[in-house]
Amino acid sequence: METFGEKIRRLRKAKKMTQAELAESCGVDFTYISKIENGKGVRPPSEETLRKIALFLETDAEELLLLAKKVPQNFQDTIVDDKLAVDFLRVFPKLNDAQRKKVQKIIDDTEDKF
């Protein structure tokens, strides 16, 4: 599976952007982008900065946030405000493969309707 830094590098190169160009667009130092891409033990950017990076790289912000091991604020809000979401997260790790496939089918079927 692609790491957070690898994904940033791949998307940036696909856009033919330099690290300096991406950094300037997002308001960070280019050395920070370099460290992210090379997995040099830096903390992942804030959600705000990650969303800027996603915007400039034309990719899904939530996917980048999760790759950076951050929980998007809208997910946090759902977890706090929705008892069903909390119950689901409590039970999900205990599901077997067949049950997980059923959940995935429900998700896929629901996403197709939007």
Side-chain angles (χ1 to χ4, degrees):
M1 183 173 164
E2 193 172 42
T3 67
F4 171 64
E6 291 167 344
K7 182 163 185 106
I8 297 293
R9 177 184 293 120
R10 180 178 56 77
L11 292 171
R12 178 183 57 76
K13 286 185 174 190
K15 302 283 291 171
K16 298 185 180 355
M17 293 179 84
T18 66
Q19 290 176 339
E21 289 169 331
L22 179 60
E24 184 178 332
S25 300
C26 300
V28 298
D29 191 89
F30 82 93
T31 60
Y32 183 63
I33 298 295
S34 175
K35 289 175 184 176
I36 289 171
E37 289 185 358
N38 292 305
K40 294 291 183 187
V42 295
R43 292 181 147 226
S46 67
E47 181 169 349
E48 179 183 347
T49 300
L50 272 169
R51 289 189 179 282
K52 287 179 187 177
I53 291 171
L55 178 69
F56 288 107
L57 296 179
E58 297 179 14
T59 193
D60 184 79
E62 273 77 25
E63 183 180 343
L64 278 187
L65 284 159
L66 293 170
L67 272 175
K69 303 206 182 308
K70 289 184 164 259
V71 178
Q73 186 62 50
N74 60 328
F75 290 14
Q76 292 177 41
D77 294 342
T78 298
I79 293 165
V80 169
D81 296 337
D82 190 334
K83 183 183 178 326
L84 180 59
V86 172
D87 292 343
F88 175 75
L89 290 172
R90 187 177 295 120
V91 170
F92 187 77
K94 301 172 188 172
L95 299 180
N96 62 37
D97 287 341
Q99 292 167 319
R100 285 175 178 243
K101 285 180 183 176
K102 287 179 185 178
V103 170
Q104 185 64 58
K105 180 164 179 13
I106 292 168
I107 291 168
D108 292 345
D109 289 349
T110 303
E111 284 183 332
D112 288 345
K113 294 179 183 175
F114 292 107

